[in-house]
């Protein structure tokens, strides 16, 4: 089954069989005192809401952790092609990749494409894609904008949306991103079902 | 039913009837452009895992948001008594309060009581208490330590635990808290069921 009315790239995983969590990959550094394997979540990892996670770019050290989440989809917000090792991981775990290539421009040349954010949000809102991970490179700006727009749909006030955005962007927080979220019009999306915990409409 | 083997204070809410989400309280400032009521999550609010949230001290502006979470319990980590307005909110919504009075000492006089954190964790791990909010005053230190110890039980590596702790504590991050989490021994708690998303044991 393909996602209809979707303009980003869709990678169909060859193996869509049910996920069987594998034991975490063991390396000497990732063991605790009892010799147990430890999980390494990606940089800036957090739970956004039921079935929705966010992070920076995951690498192979994070794969066993991501496996434990039982992900069904990943939303990837950069234009660069997905690394081979990550593609292999998706394939082996039946995870579908939705890529929305948003350039990682620096201020004052930031131009966040509203329509692309809207399409990404449609994927986030579709519970058939859950559990789902949203990520860009550092999990700050592009990911922060998608999550901020989701919070708008969830009717969070702007100051709480910015508080959350800044927690992840920290010293790299951008007024232009916050202005984008402030201007983002959710009135056309209010027919969509929101089945989350963190405030329902 | 009372929580057994628990040394903190337990407030039994008079009304334990099923939660009926009320519409958010409307004030002029909390309306968006279309005159819709907006939610105001508490300072430093975030989802920790399925059915577990964290934040700073909630005040009346946050009540309608908290109501939308359908909370069953609150873990309050300060020794000061709970404000009357908050007690009223708990009563009206059938939310049980577990209070663990941990002093909010400043470095270098920090002494986090290990046994108290362990008891708070037992409440967090009991899914009968979910959905549950953990909060202290600012949602940085005491809340950060409880969440950090939970992550240890979930087998997160220390650098990811500290990354998360620092995201909330920001400029107020304390080496003493991080050392506490590093030393915290979870081996005696491994018999407890962990039914979360963010990595299972």
């Amino acid at each position: 089954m393909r996602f209809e009315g979707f303009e980003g790239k869709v990678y169909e995983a060859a193996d869509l069989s049910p996920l069987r969590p594998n034991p975490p990959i063991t390396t000497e550094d990732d063991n605790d005192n009892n010799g147990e394997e430890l999980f390494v979540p990606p940089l800036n990892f957090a739970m956004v809401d039921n079935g929705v996670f966010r992070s920076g770019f995951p690498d192979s050290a994070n794969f066993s952790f991501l496996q434990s989440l039982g992900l069904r989809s990943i939303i990837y917000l950069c234009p660069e092609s997905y690394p081979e090792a990550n593609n292999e991981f998706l394939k082996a775990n039946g995870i579908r990749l939705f890529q929305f290539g948003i350039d990682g421009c620096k201020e004052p040349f930031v131009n966040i494409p509203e329509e692309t954010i809207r399409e990404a949000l449609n994927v986030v809102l579709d519970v058939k894609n859950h559990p789902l991970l949203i990520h860009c490179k550092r999990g700050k700006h592009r990911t922060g904008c998608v999550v901020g727009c989701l919070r708008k749909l969830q009717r969070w006030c702007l100051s709480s949306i910015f508080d959350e955005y800044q927690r992840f962007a920290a010293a790299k927080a951008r007024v232009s991103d916050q202005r984008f979220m402030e201007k983002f019009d959710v009135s056309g999306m209010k027919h969509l079902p929101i089945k989350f915990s963190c405030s329902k409409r």
Side-chain angles (χ1 to χ4, degrees), chain A:
Chain A
M1 197 183 76
R2 287 185 67 84
F3 187 84
E4 297 299 325
F6 165 72
E7 289 175 32
K9 287 187 211 165
V10 178
Y11 291 77
E12 295 283 348
D15 173 11
L16 287 166
S17 62
L19 297 169
R20 282 160 303 163
N22 292 340
I25 298 152
T26 312
T27 70
E28 211 170 288
D29 288 346
D30 294 339
N31 287 353
D32 68 8
N33 292 337
N34 301 317
E36 275 197 326
E37 312 85 358
L38 296 179
F39 286 115
V40 186
L43 187 81
N44 255 339
F45 172 83
M47 190 163 193
V48 176
D49 212 313
N50 290 338
V52 181
F53 305 95
R54 63 180 288 170
S55 75
F57 211 109
D59 72 12
S60 57
N62 312 124
F63 288 168
S64 54
F65 173 76
L66 293 184
Q67 219 166 21
S68 78
L69 301 178
L71 294 176
R72 200 176 284 168
S73 334
I74 285 182
I75 294 185
Y76 169 50
L77 300 168
C78 307
E80 294 83 9
S81 61
Y82 221 44
E84 197 41 41
N86 294 50
N87 271 327
E88 287 297 321
F89 171 75
L90 298 191
K91 208 168 160 180
N93 291 278
I95 300 168
R96 179 181 290 187
L97 182 67
F98 295 90
Q99 181 171 8
F100 298 93
I102 301 172
D103 285 321
C105 312
K106 290 209 165 58
E107 278 186 312
F109 307 108
V110 178
N111 180 24
I112 304 147
E114 192 182 320
E115 209 36 56
T116 311
I117 297 285
R118 209 171 284 282
E119 284 167 16
L121 264 184
N122 276 314
V123 177
V124 176
L125 292 175
D126 188 344
V127 291
K128 291 198 299 293
N129 300 320
H130 294 189
L132 169 153
L133 172 71
I134 307 166
H135 81 84
C136 50
K137 212 165 163 188
R138 290 180 296 179
K140 292 175 191 273
H141 304 113
R142 290 167 275 199
T143 300
C145 286
V146 170
V147 173
C149 292
L150 172 66
R151 297 310 191 192
K152 252 193 126 161
L153 257 174
Q154 292 183 294
R155 294 220 321 261
W156 284 30
C157 65
L158 271 182
S159 45
S160 295
I161 294 173
F162 293 169
D163 181 47
E164 182 177 50
Y165 168 85
Q166 287 162 9
R167 206 177 299 135
F168 291 88
K172 303 283 185 185
R174 293 174 182 163
V175 175
S176 53
D177 283 349
Q178 296 180 70
R179 182 77 192 124
F180 173 81
M181 294 183 259
E182 183 176 356
K183 283 171 64 189
F184 189 80
D185 181 14
V186 293
S187 60
M189 304 185 82
K190 296 207 170 164
H191 61 287
L192 296 165
I194 310 265
K195 293 182 180 172
F196 290 139
S197 272
C198 300
S199 68
K200 294 151 190 121
R201 285 181 320 183

